[in-house]
Amino acid sequence: PQDGAVVEPLSGVAQFTGSAFGSAAIWQYESLKSRVQTYFEEARADWMDKMRPQKRGDFRKQVNSWWNSLTEGQRTVTGIIAANAFVFCLWRLPGMRRIMFTYFTSNPSSKALCSPMLLSTFSHFSLFHMAANMYVLWSFSSSIVSLLGCEQFIAVYLSAGVISTFVSYVAKMATGRFEPSLGASGAIMTVLAAVCTKMPEAKLAIILLPMFTFTAGSALKAIIAFDTAGLALGWRLFDHAAHLGGALFGMWYVTYGHELIWKNREPLVKAWHELRTKNAGKGGG
């Protein structure tokens, strides 16, 4: 059973990560294609809006105005935040408790091993835990999406969730502490580490102590030191193994992974393009 608790999740990590990056490459291809096709439609819609009499206090227009005021990164993580909020609400339903503990917490002794690796990344039992994680994700969203682009970011974020959970699994197996854990912290540590690695001189501050500033590089070193100490000394306040796994993955990805994985997506995109062209030809389109 112990071998299965490591081998099965490791296989799941490899399959899911490959699928995430493959899907992101195809998504990017379709997105670029769609932007070209809809450019004139959007221009026409804007012109029609100007011609129509404007309604004051139109709620839909206010929502559209707010949405358009967001950065691409903020728009990208809005869906992730909504998913976390939905799962948080599920925890409040008594009838869902057994399902939530089985599939939305990660534990190598659970009967479900692979699906919780991803689902636990969107799962928070405490409102403060969720709010803190989502605040950090929102704060770094513009930087990470500017760095990677929307599609690549989603692939990295989802992969980070399963990779950080797998590191947590291994640590739990090594120490014999089979405790359930949950939260987006591992994936968010990947985002934070990626941005801090690429922009080490950027200035950061703590929300409650804005007068104290420090560089992103220093913050990353302090976080890694804290989680390494927590893992070595057996602290149980956080899942230090998941945090450390997420941070190391973020550092590795922006240093080497982008070149090894994302920049070698062309064969897949080319195959997808040929498949789309062939199907369009058969359909007469």
Side-chain angles (χ1 to χ4, degrees):
Q2 289 198 349
D3 290 341
V6 174
V7 174
E8 187 182 338
L10 179 59
S11 173
V13 167
Q15 291 175 41
F16 180 82
T17 301
S19 300
F21 279 96
S23 300
I26 292 170
W27 177 21
Q28 187 186 59
Y29 166 88
E30 292 292 340
S31 179
L32 290 170
K33 192 177 172 73
S34 176
R35 282 178 204 168
V36 173
Q37 291 174 339
T38 59
Y39 175 79
F40 290 108
E41 291 176 14
E42 289 177 356
R44 180 176 175 274
D46 287 343
W47 179 77
M48 291 293 287
D49 278 345
K50 288 174 183 175
M51 294 296 290
R52 288 195 200 103
Q54 300 296 308
K55 294 180 184 176
R56 290 196 170 186
D58 188 341
F59 177 73
R60 186 175 173 182
K61 282 194 177 295
Q62 291 174 355
V63 171
N64 286 340
S65 177
W66 170 79
W67 182 255
N68 292 331
S69 71
L70 300 179
T71 65
E72 186 185 6
Q74 290 169 337
R75 287 196 293 266
T76 302
V77 302
T78 298
I80 296 174
I81 294 171
N84 279 269
F86 176 72
V87 175
F88 175 77
C89 292
L90 292 180
W91 275 105
R92 313 268 76 78
L93 303 175
M96 291 291 293
R97 279 297 167 86
R98 182 174 293 182
I99 292 172
M100 300 306 290
F101 273 110
T102 302
Y103 295 102
F104 287 83
T105 64
S106 62
N107 191 335
S109 64
S110 172
K111 65 178 182 180
L113 288 174
C114 290
S115 52
M117 296 176 74
L118 177 64
L119 296 178
S120 64
T121 305
F122 294 87
S123 182
H124 299 83
F125 185 75
S126 157
L127 178 61
F128 176 78
H129 186 200
M130 183 184 73
N133 277 340
M134 295 304 100
Y135 174 78
V136 175
L137 179 61
W138 182 266
S139 300
F140 281 86
S141 61
S142 300
S143 298
I144 191 66
V145 172
S146 295
L147 198 64
L148 302 177
C150 171
E151 299 86 1
Q152 186 183 185
F153 160 70
I154 293 294
V156 169
Y157 185 86
L158 296 178
S159 298
V162 297
I163 288 169
S164 59
T165 304
F166 176 73
V167 175
S168 174
Y169 275 177
V170 173
K172 287 172 182 174
M173 293 294 296
T175 59
R177 293 177 178 171
F178 300 111
E179 301 165 331
S181 54
L182 74 176
S185 305
I188 289 168
M189 282 299 300
T190 294
V191 171
L192 193 150
V195 173
C196 291
T197 301
K198 273 295 186 182
M199 296 181 275
E201 298 305 317
K203 292 292 183 183
L204 303 179
I206 300 171
I207 184 172
L208 298 176
L209 301 168
M211 68 291 296
F212 298 109
T213 61
F214 40 86
T215 65
S218 299
L220 182 58
K221 288 173 187 173
I223 289 168
I224 289 175
F226 174 75
D227 283 315
T228 301
L231 184 61
L233 299 174
W235 298 344
R236 299 193 182 193
L237 186 59
F238 304 108
D239 189 339
H240 295 285
H243 289 191
L244 205 54
L248 294 177
F249 174 61
M251 294 167 66
W252 173 83
Y253 187 81
V254 294
T255 308
Y256 306 106
H258 173 76
E259 296 284 334
L260 291 171
I261 300 173
W262 192 248
K263 289 215 170 167
N264 290 314
R265 71 192 186 281
E266 284 83 358
L268 174 63
V269 175
K270 185 178 178 183
W272 178 255
H273 172 73
E274 289 172 355
L275 181 66
R276 289 275 272 106
T277 305
K278 189 184 296 182
N279 287 341
K282 285 179 181 177

